[in-house]
Amino acid sequence: MQVDTSGYERLLKSLERDTSPIWQYQYLGMGRATDPLSIVQISNLVDGISTKLNGFAVALDVLGMVIHCAAEKDNLYRSELGRLSITFLRNLDWSNVKRDNGRVDHELEVILEFALGTPEADAEKLELLRNLIAFERSSRRSYSYEGQLLAPFFKHSPRETLDAIYVADDDGTYRTAVRVVSKIESDRRETAVQRVPTDAFIEWCEISPADRYIFAAETCRLFEKGSEDSKSQTITDVAVRILAAADDKGRVLNIFISRFRPMSWSGPLSAVLRERLPFLGKLNPTSDSTMQGEIDEAQKEFSDWISKEEKREEDEERARSESFE
C-alpha cells in the first residue's frame, strides 16, 4: 500500500509519539510505499526514524529502497534524492554506526554509490569524504573492513580521494593511510584502491614518485583471476605497471614479494604457494639484472618453502591415516 499525504502525516505523529515499534517502519521500504511522497517528505521520515533507538538500520533500509526505485523517476527527483543521501551521510556520527551485519553494509554502499553519482554538490561530497576519513584515522575506529566504504569515492573521485587519504603520520610514515584503505593483516590489501583506474593511479604516483609508488605497491590489487571461467590467479596489470614506473624498483619489488606470502588461506598452503610461484617471474618487465637476481633468490626461497610444506602436509596426512587405522 502506498503512503498518501494523510498517511504521511500519521507516520510523523507516530514517530513523534513513539506509538509504534521502530522495526515496523521497515514496511515503508516495501511495495514502493514511498513513491507518492516528495523528497522533502521522505527526508523527514528518514530523519525521524534514524533518531530513534535502533532506528538507524531501519532508516538505511527505507532510504536504500527509495534509491532502488528511483530508476523510474525523473532527473529532478533523482537529483534531489542524491542531495538527500549526501546530507544523510554527512550528518552521520560514524562511530555510532554498528556495521555488524551484511544488510547495513549493503545499504550503506547503495546510498554512498547513489550519492556520489549525483552530478552536483561536489563540495558536500568532499566534506562527506573528509568526515569519513577523519573517523577512519581516529582511535574510535574499532573494526577493519578493507576500506569498503571508501570504494565508491575511489571510483567516482579517484584523485581527490587519494589526496585526502594520503596524509603522513607524525613519524613521517603512511601506516595509517595504508590501514584506512586496506586490511593490514591480510595479504590481499586491495579492496578500496582497486576501484582506482590504473592510468589515474599511475598519474597520481608521478606527482611524487619517490614515495607514492611505495604506497601504491602496498595497497594496489596484486592478484586477480586469470579469466572469467578460471579459478586460477595471475598478477595484475597495475602491479606490473607500478613496478615498471617506480624509481626505487628494489623496494617496490620487496613489498610485492612480501605480499606473495599468504597470511590466510584455505586448503593446503603448498598449493597456494605453488600457484603464486610463477608470478614472481612476471615482476621484472624491464629485464633489470639486479631485480632478476632478487627474483631468482625469492623463487628459490619459495621453492624451498613449498618442498617443506609438502613434506609437512604428507607427514600430517600419514599420521591421520595411521591413527584412523
Side-chain angles (χ1 to χ4, degrees):
M1 179 180 294
Q2 293 186 333
V3 179
D4 56 17
T5 301
S6 59
Y8 163 74
E9 295 294 341
R10 289 196 299 272
L11 285 168
L12 286 184
K13 288 181 181 178
S14 176
L15 283 167
E16 181 181 348
R17 298 171 182 174
D18 289 323
T19 55
S20 298
I22 195 63
W23 63 265
Q24 289 191 340
Y25 292 92
Q26 284 184 318
Y27 291 119
L28 289 173
M30 302 178 182
R32 309 184 71 98
T34 59
D35 263 12
L37 302 181
S38 69
I39 295 300
V40 172
Q41 291 172 322
I42 292 171
S43 176
N44 290 336
L45 287 174
V46 169
D47 288 344
I49 294 169
S50 66
T51 59
K52 300 297 182 180
L53 180 65
N54 299 321
F56 176 70
V58 179
L60 280 182
D61 206 34
V62 174
L63 183 54
M65 184 54 66
V66 172
I67 289 172
H68 177 73
C69 297
E72 300 176 12
K73 298 290 188 176
D74 60 30
N75 289 337
L76 177 60
Y77 179 96
R78 290 174 59 83
S79 177
E80 290 177 349
L81 180 57
R83 288 181 175 273
L84 162 60
S85 302
I86 292 171
T87 300
F88 177 80
L89 294 167
R90 279 175 56 205
N91 291 335
L92 280 184
D93 181 350
W94 290 97
S95 63
N96 292 330
V97 177
K98 307 301 182 185
R99 302 182 62 249
D100 54 0
N101 65 73
R103 188 165 187 83
V104 169
D105 293 354
H106 172 72
E107 297 298 353
L108 277 172
E109 289 180 51
V110 167
I111 297 168
L112 267 170
E113 181 69 33
F114 187 81
L116 298 180
T118 303
E120 303 164 338
D122 288 340
E124 289 86 347
K125 294 176 192 175
L126 187 57
E127 183 180 350
L128 168 58
L129 174 62
R130 289 173 181 148
N131 289 345
L132 181 54
I133 291 177
F135 167 65
E136 291 298 338
R137 295 184 67 87
S138 72
S139 59
R140 295 175 296 162
R141 183 185 193 255
S142 58
Y143 51 84
S144 178
Y145 63 95
E146 303 178 38
Q148 187 177 11
L149 293 182
L150 290 168
F153 290 96
F154 281 114
K155 173 185 175 182
H156 290 280
S157 304
R159 185 159 180 168
E160 292 82 357
T161 307
L162 285 166
D163 286 342
I165 288 288
Y166 195 64
V167 177
D169 296 334
D170 292 340
D171 61 2
T173 68
Y174 291 87
R175 280 194 293 268
T176 302
V178 173
R179 174 180 61 80
V180 164
V181 300
S182 63
K183 191 172 182 179
I184 270 181
E185 65 270 21
S186 169
D187 63 308
R188 301 178 62 83
R189 296 176 216 163
E190 55 194 32
T191 299
V193 178
Q194 73 178 26
R195 303 291 291 274
V196 178
T198 299
D199 288 342
F201 206 3
I202 298 297
E203 289 174 6
W204 180 81
C205 289
E206 283 297 316
I207 295 172
S208 181
D211 55 289
R212 292 191 177 190
Y213 276 114
I214 304 304
F215 175 77
E218 290 174 333
T219 59
C220 75
R221 186 176 190 177
L222 188 56
F223 303 111
E224 63 185 357
K225 286 186 177 181
S227 62
E228 292 184 2
D229 58 349
S230 173
K231 293 183 179 180
S232 63
Q233 291 183 321
T234 186
I235 200 77
T236 61
D237 175 65
V238 65
V240 173
R241 288 185 60 182
I242 286 169
L243 182 54
D247 288 348
D248 192 345
K249 290 180 172 56
R251 186 174 176 189
V252 169
L253 177 62
N254 286 332
I255 291 171
F256 284 159
I257 290 174
S258 71
R259 292 182 61 190
F260 268 59
R261 298 175 172 85
M263 302 179 74
S264 60
W265 63 90
S266 59
L269 174 58
S270 63
V272 178
L273 296 173
R274 190 169 291 283
E275 181 183 26
R276 294 185 178 185
L277 178 59
F279 304 156
L280 286 167
K282 298 180 179 181
L283 289 176
N284 190 9
T286 59
S287 301
D288 182 284
S289 59
T290 302
M291 285 176 53
Q292 190 58 50
E294 295 186 38
I295 290 173
D296 291 344
E297 184 178 342
Q299 288 175 321
K300 183 180 183 305
E301 180 183 338
F302 261 63
S303 295
D304 292 344
W305 189 4
I306 291 170
S307 297
K308 291 177 181 178
E309 282 299 317
E310 287 177 337
K311 184 179 185 308
R312 182 187 61 79
E313 290 160 4
E314 288 174 1
D315 291 344
E316 287 182 354
E317 180 60 30
R318 186 180 303 109
R320 282 194 295 266
S321 298
E322 291 174 354
S323 175
F324 179 75
E325 293 174 357

